[in-house]
Amino acid sequence: MERLDLDALRRRSRRTYEIGRWRRASVSVLPAAALALLATRAAGEIMDPIVTATILALVSVAFSWWGQHAGSAVLPGTLAGTLPFAAALAVRWSGETRFATCAVVSFVASAIGGLLLARRVRRSDARARAWLYAGAIALLTGSVACSCIGLGGFVGLVLGLAAVATPSLLLLSRSDSVQ
Amino acid sequence: MDPNVRAQIDADLVRLADGDRSAFDPTFTALWPLVVALSTRLLGSRADAEDAAQEAMFKVFDRINELDVARSGVSWALGITAWECRAMRSRRVRRREDAGDAAVEPVSGAPSPESEVMTRELLIASREVLGELSPADQETLRATFDELPNATGPTFRKRRERALARLRHAWRRLYGTS
């Protein structure tokens, strides 16, 4: 009887594991696709939302496939990013185009999203890293619509998240290193 | 099985489900002998047991993301193994390799301590599945297996069919299907 090749079995099992993870991670494309559809329909823009949604989809799938802190950041990051996403669409519907208005609305919405994210991340065991992963997803999610209201929307989005992220990351890094 | 060893394998399975790749090798190394031993106990033939064990390992690693961290990962993996062995047995009967011998023949001689442990693992998995059923279904199945005098009649047969269908559904939900 042919002797079972355990090394070959181990390699094939590992391959099966990774393929299973990719298959499960591919579901993460759906929120990005939905957001792109919403943004293109609501804002009448095509290129910008699709490009940013594609980047969001790729990053979400990669994070989900990798797992651990990156994987668990996808859902909260996406949810936090829907606030600036919705705010940007509302600005677009209103017809407002002034840089300052777009920036302020995006800033406030992304700051609130960032605060909710900080509350969620508090429960993680490597909080600074979890914040970075979730913050990246939130930024990309908000960008899908903020890209439709010009530079002001994007600037407000980045500043709003940074305003919450900077003190949060400092505090979390300090308490992570103390633990 | 030593409870600490079992707890370690359970912990490694949870880590692997979460995406910690460093848990893959220890999980594979610890799980493979358990899966092979259970398959050998259930199928008798070493060749069939290794085939079933390989398929079971692939299914475990393919579905590891579905692992319920609140339950024992070892029981979950052995439940998948038992299901794979059942499928192998059905295929064997259909191929007529053991004509007229659809029942599993246990390995000859006294059961080894390892195979007794494997049987115990299977019983734990079975109890977990039974625990998912309603008290009425559990009572029906117990009456069937204990061959109680009142476990007859068309009404009881209907109850038994429904209870078995729900048992199969619960097993598939917890441990996957072939």
Side-chain angles (χ1 to χ4, degrees):
Chain A
M1 189 170 66
E2 207 177 296
R3 196 176 163 77
L4 181 68
D5 185 347
L6 266 186
D7 285 337
L9 177 63
R10 185 189 298 264
R11 283 193 301 273
R12 198 175 150 195
S13 298
R14 179 61 185 261
R15 211 160 41 239
T16 305
Y17 168 71
E18 297 295 350
I19 289 170
R21 290 199 69 86
W22 275 117
R23 198 173 56 242
R24 190 176 158 97
S26 64
V27 170
S28 304
V29 162
L30 296 177
L35 290 172
L37 187 65
L38 260 174
T40 52
R41 298 290 295 263
E45 302 265 357
I46 294 181
M47 213 50 214
D48 291 338
I50 287 179
V51 167
T52 42
T54 302
I55 298 171
L56 171 64
L58 291 173
V59 172
S60 298
V61 168
F63 280 12
S64 297
W65 165 75
W66 186 248
Q68 299 183 82
H69 294 103
S72 52
V74 173
L75 181 60
T78 305
L79 289 175
T82 54
L83 284 172
F85 175 90
L89 285 187
V91 167
R92 178 74 185 212
W93 278 328
S94 71
E96 180 60 62
T97 56
R98 284 177 294 180
F99 179 95
T101 312
C102 295
V104 165
V105 170
S106 291
F107 178 90
V108 171
S110 64
I112 296 172
L115 281 171
L116 295 173
L117 205 52
R119 277 176 59 103
R120 171 74 174 78
V121 156
R122 233 178 24 190
R123 286 183 251 140
S124 170
D125 59 347
R127 292 174 288 184
R129 217 176 330 155
W131 218 117
L132 282 171
Y133 288 129
I137 296 287
L139 184 67
L140 285 168
T141 304
S143 296
V144 175
C146 288
S147 59
C148 303
I149 59 173
L151 188 60
F154 189 72
V155 167
L157 170 68
V158 171
L159 289 178
L161 278 174
V164 174
T166 309
S168 301
L169 282 170
L170 284 171
L171 282 169
L172 292 175
S173 300
R174 210 170 287 154
S175 62
D176 280 350
S177 58
V178 161
Q179 280 177 13
Chain B
M1 181 187 297
D2 181 67
N4 292 331
V5 171
R6 188 194 175 101
Q8 183 59 53
I9 301 173
D10 283 342
D12 286 339
L13 280 164
V14 168
R15 282 171 50 217
L16 194 60
D18 190 39
D20 185 353
R21 270 65 170 185
S22 67
F24 179 84
D25 281 338
T27 301
F28 180 92
T29 305
L31 210 50
W32 173 247
L34 303 180
V35 167
V36 167
L38 177 61
S39 302
T40 307
R41 169 83 181 142
L42 293 176
L43 294 173
S45 151
R46 181 75 186 189
D48 281 349
E50 283 187 349
D51 286 346
Q54 286 186 66
E55 288 305 314
M57 290 294 277
F58 295 147
K59 285 203 165 63
V60 165
F61 287 115
D62 184 54
R63 292 191 189 136
I64 187 93
N65 300 302
E66 297 167 17
L67 174 67
D68 182 353
V69 298
R71 294 178 182 272
S72 163
V74 172
S75 298
W76 173 78
L78 293 180
I80 291 174
T81 306
W83 192 269
E84 212 43 54
C85 291
R86 186 176 178 274
M88 173 70 72
R89 218 164 41 222
S90 302
R91 284 196 293 271
R92 199 166 63 185
V93 166
R94 279 197 300 274
R95 280 197 318 255
R96 296 181 185 275
E97 280 184 8
D98 292 282
D101 184 19
V104 170
E105 291 194 24
V107 177
S108 60
S112 67
E114 195 181 33
S115 63
E116 281 180 351
V117 166
M118 293 305 109
T119 305
R120 206 159 47 236
E121 295 288 345
L122 195 54
L123 283 172
I124 290 170
S126 303
R127 267 189 226 113
E128 281 196 25
V129 173
L130 274 174
E132 297 282 311
L133 302 181
S134 68
D137 280 346
Q138 289 181 31
E139 196 186 307
T140 303
L141 291 173
R142 276 195 201 101
T144 303
F145 294 131
D146 292 341
E147 294 180 353
L148 295 181
N150 62 342
T152 54
T155 310
F156 183 85
R157 273 200 298 276
K158 266 272 176 266
R159 271 208 332 258
R160 183 180 57 207
E161 275 168 25
R162 283 197 286 266
L164 284 172
R166 284 193 274 267
L167 180 71
R168 277 192 286 272
H169 178 74
W171 185 278
R172 281 193 199 109
R173 191 168 44 78
L174 285 175
Y175 301 116
T177 60
S178 61

